[in-house]
Amino acid sequence: MKLKPALTYEEQIKKLKDDHNLTITDDQFAKDVLKKVNYYRLSGYGIGLKKFNNKEHYKDYITIEHLFNLYCFDSQFKNNLIRTIEQIEIELRTQIAYHLSVKYGPDVLMDKNNFVYKTDKDSKSIYSIILDNLNKETYRQRNKPFVKHHIKKYDGQFPIWVSVELMSFGNLSSLFSILQDEDQKEISKYYNTDPKYLKNWILCLVEVRNICAHYTRLYNMPLKVNPRLYKENEKYKQKQNKIFPVLLIIKRMLQSNSQWDSLLKDLKLTFTKYQGSFRFDFMGFPKDWKNIL
């Protein structure tokens, strides 16, 4: 198919009005919104707001202010989450580095026998992928003082506690997946759980963290990773994975500490600020979410 032609802001506004039944009473406001938020991105917030018998038309009460408020809500919601996920990520890096360095030594990554042999769908070993990614990241960050220091003083050798700081969260998740069973169990104890849960929780957080970091829509977005929950929380899973079960994972990993209290306070402020602009059920929240969280 031939690509659609580019539209001016005025043409975009006309298309939203005429082709999609979006209520726009102030064209200048609409133009200002479209200058800030790409038409294509803004349209994503209209999922679930179209007429049942006409999927091209917004419901009669939906306005461009409505879509813009959803975008703003989603942005603030993601900002709330990413700060906490980063704290969990840093703590996990610390736990993995501490356990491996004490047990195997600072150069634990240099011996593949310290890890379980696993491959990806292309039959490439996970261990080699981790090292390849780590080498790329080391080169990318070669001008940072701590990287230059280790290249100069230690001939490019990095102890595990430095290597984990160079890994992406996804690479860290892969590293955890190839740890020996006893190493996974020892690290999982820190979170009062076992490896089958912790492995899944890390994958869930990697997905949400990447959505937040890359400005993708999180509101009303089905997530790819199916969260593994304890029996008492299984009822909060739905046909489509939404964000609420991930909050239960975060709560358990933080063990309801002050970081969790801070996140919950921020979320409540965000929900209050944008009250009426979003739907809790579009994010998988049950009616009694306050009591649960």
Side-chain angles (χ1 to χ4, degrees):
M1 288 181 67
K2 192 176 180 181
L3 290 174
K4 294 178 182 178
L7 301 178
T8 64
Y9 293 126
E10 291 75 17
E11 289 169 335
Q12 290 175 30
I13 291 168
K14 187 175 188 305
K15 184 177 179 67
L16 287 169
K17 285 180 180 178
D18 298 346
D19 296 356
H20 299 296
N21 193 49
L22 185 66
T23 300
I24 298 175
T25 56
D26 185 341
D27 282 14
Q28 186 56 52
F29 174 79
K31 187 174 181 179
D32 290 342
V33 168
L34 291 167
K35 285 180 179 179
K36 292 184 178 82
V37 188
N38 187 318
Y39 178 104
Y40 187 75
R41 178 183 292 272
L42 191 68
S43 298
Y45 292 94
I47 294 173
L49 303 178
K50 302 288 179 65
K51 290 180 177 179
F52 180 75
N53 59 351
N54 187 344
K55 298 301 180 184
E56 288 297 313
H57 276 199
Y58 287 101
K59 294 172 183 176
D60 292 337
Y61 60 86
I62 301 299
T63 66
I64 193 163
E65 287 86 355
H66 195 141
L67 294 187
F68 185 60
N69 281 341
L70 275 177
Y71 160 77
C72 293
F73 162 74
D74 190 44
S75 180
Q76 189 163 321
F77 181 48
K78 289 183 293 188
N79 284 339
N80 296 153
L81 286 176
I82 196 166
R83 288 197 298 269
T84 303
I85 292 174
E86 282 176 349
Q87 292 165 354
I88 293 172
E89 181 184 342
I90 289 168
E91 192 168 20
L92 181 66
R93 290 176 192 275
T94 303
Q95 290 305 310
I96 290 175
Y98 179 80
H99 175 77
L100 293 182
S101 63
V102 170
K103 183 174 178 180
Y104 298 100
D107 58 350
V108 54
L109 275 181
M110 295 303 102
D111 187 354
K112 64 182 180 182
N113 294 317
N114 293 328
F115 305 94
V116 174
Y117 179 76
K118 287 184 180 178
T119 60
D120 67 359
K121 62 181 185 299
D122 298 318
S123 300
K124 188 173 182 180
S125 82
I126 303 296
Y127 173 78
S128 66
I129 293 171
I130 291 169
L131 288 191
D132 286 347
N133 289 338
L134 182 58
N135 289 333
K136 288 175 186 174
E137 197 58 32
T138 301
Y139 181 76
R140 192 177 74 83
Q141 299 193 44
R142 64 192 181 280
N143 290 322
K144 287 194 173 179
F146 79 98
V147 177
K148 289 170 81 171
H149 169 74
H150 281 82
I151 290 172
K152 185 177 179 180
K153 189 168 183 178
Y154 300 104
D155 195 28
Q157 296 181 85
F158 292 83
I160 182 64
W161 54 84
V162 176
S163 294
V164 294
E165 297 299 332
L166 286 163
M167 290 182 183
S168 68
F169 199 6
N171 222 28
L172 192 73
S173 172
S174 297
L175 178 63
F176 185 82
S177 74
I178 63 168
L179 296 185
Q180 301 287 347
D181 288 349
E182 58 269 27
D183 298 327
Q184 287 189 357
K185 286 177 184 176
E186 198 60 37
I187 293 165
S188 297
K189 280 181 190 176
Y190 181 81
Y191 298 96
N192 291 322
T193 190
D194 59 64
K196 70 179 180 181
Y197 283 97
L198 187 55
K199 273 189 278 193
N200 172 265
W201 295 351
I202 295 169
L203 288 173
C204 288
L205 292 183
V206 167
E207 181 181 8
V208 174
R209 186 258 176 214
N210 287 341
I211 287 172
C212 294
H214 299 140
Y215 319 114
T216 313
R217 176 170 53 89
L218 182 60
Y219 175 74
N220 196 24
M221 193 73 173
L223 303 174
K224 295 175 183 176
V225 182
N226 189 23
R228 185 185 283 270
L229 301 176
Y230 281 95
K231 193 173 290 185
E232 67 269 22
N233 288 329
E234 277 285 336
K235 58 189 172 185
Y236 303 119
K237 288 170 67 173
Q238 300 177 342
K239 288 181 181 178
Q240 281 192 325
N241 300 327
K242 297 295 178 70
I243 191 61
F244 184 76
V246 179
L247 290 175
L248 297 176
I249 289 170
I250 292 172
K251 181 183 179 182
R252 188 174 280 273
M253 287 189 75
L254 291 177
Q255 299 174 60
S256 302
N257 64 7
S258 59
Q259 290 173 313
W260 171 252
D261 291 338
S262 178
L263 172 61
L264 198 52
K265 181 181 177 182
D266 288 343
L267 290 178
K268 286 177 179 177
L269 287 172
T270 298
F271 294 159
T272 300
K273 181 179 179 180
Y274 292 99
Q275 191 171 11
S277 296
F278 67 95
R279 286 178 53 171
F280 281 106
D281 59 325
F282 276 20
M283 301 184 293
F285 278 61
K287 290 181 179 178
D288 57 342
W289 65 268
K290 286 184 183 178
N291 294 328
I292 298 163
L293 296 184

